[in-house]
Amino acid sequence: KITFTMSGFTKCFRPTSNFPTDYSDLRGWLSADSLVTFDIPNKRVTRVGDRTSVSQVNASYVIQETVNKQPTRIGYDGINDKTYLSFDGVRQTLLSENYLMVTTQSSFTIFEVSKFGDINELVFSHVKEDTRKIQIGLNEDDEFYAQAVFGAQDLTVTIGNTTHIKGAPHIGVVRRTHTGTEVDKLEAWYYDANNQKSNTEIATSVIAHWTDGGFYIGSYRGDSLFLSGEFNELIIYNRALSDDEVNEIVGYLNYK
């Protein structure tokens, strides 16, 4: 017979997990279940705060002041009954109040947790102009893809589907690595309940930094490729995380 006190029980059996804030160069962390400002009767969302910053000055929070463009916050019935933001696929979108903080280096890592309701949708887009953009979405062939464009360089990574990605909750990871030798690599990982897939695209060219420009959750530039599904989480780093770090963040999201 072994008797545990509550202290002994929690020390021996509590799950361990690293949080996104445990890793350097975190530039944005937005969650459907934290720091969300919404109207209680109609659930319309006006703001999602950035968990990386208390002051929110230069933080990566997103807003929506136009009523018919506001997604709704659903506090149940999401992935594992978690809270999510619901987008209508017609006009609802959230946009950053400040510039995307992926500007000091040529590398980045972005994690997103969502569910696409249909093909030709974006969960995330950063658009300075058509020649400077980052986007993560589902293409017309029901394939998860990531794209990073800067001038003449267009890196696009596509992950084919063996089962429908549309309608499946998933974790998506996009990592762009600039080695300093004019070689750039864009990688993507897709995880759902049954699959773990990855793909890589490599290009050689002179790369400058992304400059000012905001980002959107649930659309391309706020006017097309609208998300008709669910949004749970977005995490942005201003560097290429190591493989171990990527696995640890994915582990945190899986556990959550």
Side-chain angles (χ1 to χ4, degrees):
K1 179 180 178 180
I2 301 175
T3 302
F4 286 95
T5 64
M6 181 55 71
S7 176
F9 183 85
T10 55
K11 287 181 183 297
C12 290
F13 296 109
R14 68 183 177 188
T16 59
S17 178
N18 292 325
F19 286 89
T21 48
D22 293 337
Y23 305 94
S24 63
D25 297 300
L26 178 63
R27 292 295 181 267
W29 181 13
L30 289 78
S31 303
D33 59 358
S34 181
L35 301 181
V36 178
T37 303
F38 64 100
D39 184 84
I40 294 177
N42 57 41
K43 299 181 174 61
R44 292 195 184 102
V45 174
T46 56
R47 189 178 191 275
V48 181
D50 183 359
R51 297 174 66 176
T52 68
S53 173
V54 175
S55 68
Q56 302 294 288
V57 175
N58 294 324
S60 296
Y61 65 90
V62 292
I63 62 171
Q64 183 52 262
E65 296 178 346
T66 305
V67 172
N68 67 358
K69 294 184 177 182
Q70 293 168 348
T72 54
R73 179 186 181 275
I74 310 300
Y76 61 94
D77 200 33
I79 304 171
N80 289 334
D81 209 32
K82 299 294 186 183
T83 300
Y84 66 93
L85 305 186
S86 177
F87 291 77
D88 66 358
V90 178
R91 63 178 63 88
Q92 293 175 348
T93 185
L94 296 167
L95 62 152
S96 62
E97 183 76 351
N98 300 309
Y99 294 148
L100 177 67
M101 294 291 103
V102 181
T103 56
T104 60
Q105 300 183 45
S106 293
S107 301
F108 61 78
T109 311
I110 301 175
F111 300 80
E112 59 86 14
V113 184
S114 65
K115 181 170 75 172
F116 297 108
D118 206 347
I119 60 173
N120 283 330
E121 296 186 349
L122 290 181
V123 64
F124 172 87
S125 70
H126 160 64
V127 188
K128 168 60 178 175
E129 52 202 22
D130 286 339
T131 57
R132 296 183 188 181
K133 59 187 179 182
I134 305 166
Q135 48 193 52
I136 303 171
L138 191 66
N139 67 17
E140 61 184 6
D141 295 320
D142 192 23
E143 297 171 326
F144 180 82
Y145 78 97
Q147 185 179 32
V149 176
F150 194 101
Q153 186 193 70
D154 182 345
L155 288 176
T156 301
V157 176
T158 302
I159 295 179
N161 60 317
T162 53
T163 58
H164 284 299
I165 292 177
K166 179 181 72 174
H170 69 273
I171 298 171
V173 186
V174 178
R175 179 173 68 184
R176 181 175 181 273
T177 305
H178 178 62
T179 64
T181 58
E182 299 182 2
V183 176
D184 286 278
K185 180 167 63 175
L186 188 68
E187 301 165 279
W189 292 265
Y190 169 85
Y191 307 83
D192 65 15
N194 302 308
N195 298 284
Q196 176 183 335
K197 309 175 190 177
S198 64
N199 198 2
T200 300
E201 185 72 20
I202 298 176
T204 302
S205 67
V206 177
I207 276 296
H209 301 155
W210 273 278
T211 54
D212 53 358
F215 67 90
Y216 298 83
I217 294 176
S219 73
Y220 175 75
R221 202 163 48 189
D223 58 18
S224 61
L225 301 179
F226 290 99
L227 178 68
S228 66
E230 304 174 7
F231 168 82
N232 294 84
E233 202 131 356
L234 177 71
I235 304 171
I236 303 169
Y237 291 89
N238 189 30
R239 66 179 175 91
L241 270 63
S242 68
D243 288 349
D244 287 342
E245 290 171 324
V246 168
N247 289 335
E248 287 164 3
I249 297 296
V250 169
Y252 159 77
L253 293 171
N254 265 323
Y255 172 71
K256 181 177 181 180

